[in-house]
Each structure stands twice: as structure tokens, then as C-alpha cells.
């Protein structure tokens, strides 16, 4: 790391080095997945979490050979003139190994529909999962959900997504309404209820 990424760096921008194991313990077969989750959250929040239980850097490493620093404290990740990037190298025990470089997504400009919405939907796409024993019953489920939402204009669409995914049985006929706003989700439900295709329906 020092030889490859720690050279010719600004003094105030070293390569920061951390460990997911220090934060949540030995993850065994989930090591790679845990590391990816940790760093996706770091990219999203602009904060590098500190590595715990570090008394002092290893004396077996020549830390002066390059600009690499341990995350002994939380470090705010400043916005730069380029995307933030992070490297991951995690080994699981016969499980999810991960060796990857992640780059933050480009900023998304809100469209007029999202700017004008007055619902409680958080930013991002929300999935409403619906299933039934028959195709006709699936369309009926879409109509019932549409009526339920119409009666509750302040509904949290993320809470509905969680309830549909975790409290309902999964049957043979399934569909997923996708939307970044209540309006998009309702359009998908209407299309499903009428048996029509929709860009917000899978």
C-alpha cells in the first residue's frame, strides 16, 4: 500500500487505512460483504470511521516511506474535484472475499416532480413487492394497495416497502413497483392493476 498508493501525495491527504474487523468483530464468512457495506456507508456520509483498539502503529512497517495513515480517529471525507474512491481487500472463511475499488456515484439532480413532491419518501428508489397465488389476484392486490395509499397521503413509502417485504407471504405471481416518489409508485400500481407494462414495474 505504501509503495503503490502512498507516494507523491499531499501531506494533508494521506491514504487512510482502516479495518472492518475492529469495528464489528470477526465476520468470518461475511468479511467481504461487511467491508463493502462499511465503505458504501462511508462514501454516502462522507465520513471515514476510526479503527478501534489501535494503541500504536506496527513498528515492523516503515511508515515514513509513504503517506499512509491509520484511522485512529473519525476523519471527515472532504468533497474534492473528483469522485471519492475506496479500495477494499477482505478475506472470508470459505465465504465472501472482496477485492474491489468503489467510486461514489455522480450527484443526481432532482427533477421537477421530485422537487414538488410533498410526500415523506426519502431520496432514492423504493421497491414495493407484491405477490399473489394467481395473476388476477396479483392485480387485485395492486388495486387494494392503491386504495390504501390514497387514504393515507402522508404515508412513509419506505415503511410500506419494509412491511411488504418482511410481513407478507411470497407466492408464485410477483411484481415489484419501483419509484422515487409516491406518484411513480402509484403509476406502477395502476399499470399492474390493469395488466399493462410500466417503466416503474418489474
Amino acid at each position: 500500500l505504501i509503495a503503490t498508493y502512498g507516494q507523491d501525495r499531499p501531506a494533508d491527504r494521506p491514504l487512510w487505512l482502516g479495518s472492518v474487523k475492529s469495528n464489528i468483530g470477526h465476520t468470518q464468512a461475511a468479511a467481504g460483504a461487511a467491508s463493502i457495506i462499511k465503505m458504501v456507508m462511508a462514501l454516502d456520509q462522507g465520513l471515514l470511521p476510526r479503527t478501534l483498539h489501535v494503541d500504536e502503529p506496527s513498528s515492523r512497517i516503515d511508515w515514513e516511506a509513504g503517506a499512509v495513515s491509520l484511522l485512529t480517529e473519525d476523519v471527515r471525507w472532504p468533497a474534492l474535484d473528483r469522485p471519492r474512491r475506496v479500495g477494499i481487500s477482505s478475506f472470508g472463511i470459505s465465504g465472501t472475499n472482496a477485492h474491489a475499488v468503489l467510486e461514489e456515484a455522480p450527484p443526481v439532480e432532482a427533477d421537477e416532480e421530485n422537487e414538488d413532491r410533498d410526500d415523506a419518501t426519502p431520496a432514492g428508489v423504493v421497491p414495493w413487492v407484491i405477490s399473489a397465488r394467481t395473476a388476477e389476484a396479483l392485480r387485485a392486490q395492486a388495486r387494494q394497495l392503491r386504495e390504501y395509499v390514497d387514504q393515507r397521503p402522508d404515508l412513509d413509502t419506505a415503511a410500506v416497502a419494509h412491511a411488504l417485504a418482511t410481513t407478507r407471504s411470497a407466492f408464485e405471481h410477483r411484481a415489484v413497483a419501483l419509484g422515487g416518489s409516491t406518484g411513480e409508485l402509484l403509476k406502477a400500481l395502476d399499470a399492474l392493476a390493469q395488466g399493462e407494462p410500466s417503466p416503474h414495474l418489474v
Side-chain angles (χ1 to χ4, degrees):
L1 290 175
I2 291 174
T4 304
Y5 299 108
Q7 305 302 309
D8 302 320
R9 302 183 66 90
D12 61 341
R13 282 170 51 190
L15 174 72
W16 291 106
L17 184 61
S19 167
V20 71
K21 181 178 177 181
S22 82
N23 296 121
I24 60 176
H26 202 308
T27 51
Q28 297 189 23
S35 297
I36 289 174
I37 291 169
K38 174 183 175 180
M39 297 320 300
V40 166
M41 293 177 67
L43 286 168
D44 179 62
Q45 299 183 25
L47 182 68
L48 295 166
R50 68 190 180 103
T51 293
L52 308 179
H53 316 299
V54 177
D55 297 324
E56 61 182 25
S58 172
S59 60
R60 299 185 180 184
I61 296 173
D62 182 8
W63 296 99
E64 300 300 322
V68 175
S69 297
L70 296 178
L71 282 161
T72 55
E73 299 293 339
D74 291 345
V75 172
R76 180 60 57 184
W77 202 342
L80 305 172
D81 57 357
R82 58 170 177 77
R84 298 181 177 111
R85 297 183 183 92
V86 59
I88 295 169
S89 184
S90 285
F91 297 83
I93 299 177
S94 299
T96 55
N97 296 339
H99 306 284
V101 175
L102 305 182
E103 179 178 289
E104 70 175 331
V108 177
E109 295 183 7
D111 56 32
E112 292 183 3
E113 179 180 356
N114 286 338
E115 289 178 352
D116 295 337
R117 72 189 185 190
D118 58 359
D119 58 67
T121 304
V125 174
V126 174
W128 283 358
V129 181
I130 307 167
S131 72
R133 296 185 187 279
T134 66
E136 182 179 349
L138 187 65
R139 292 192 291 271
Q141 287 278 6
R143 288 191 291 270
Q144 290 177 358
L145 182 56
R146 176 64 148 99
E147 293 173 1
Y148 179 86
V149 175
D150 283 341
Q151 296 170 7
R152 296 163 179 81
D154 297 328
L155 201 64
D156 183 343
T157 55
V160 174
H162 183 267
L164 290 171
T166 61
T167 65
R168 297 297 185 93
S169 299
F171 296 109
E172 298 81 31
H173 293 263
R174 305 176 188 177
V176 179
L178 298 170
S181 67
T182 301
E184 291 180 350
L185 289 161
L186 292 180
K187 289 178 182 178
L189 291 180
D190 289 341
L192 178 58
Q194 297 167 16
E196 298 176 351
S198 168
H200 301 293
L201 186 66
V202 295

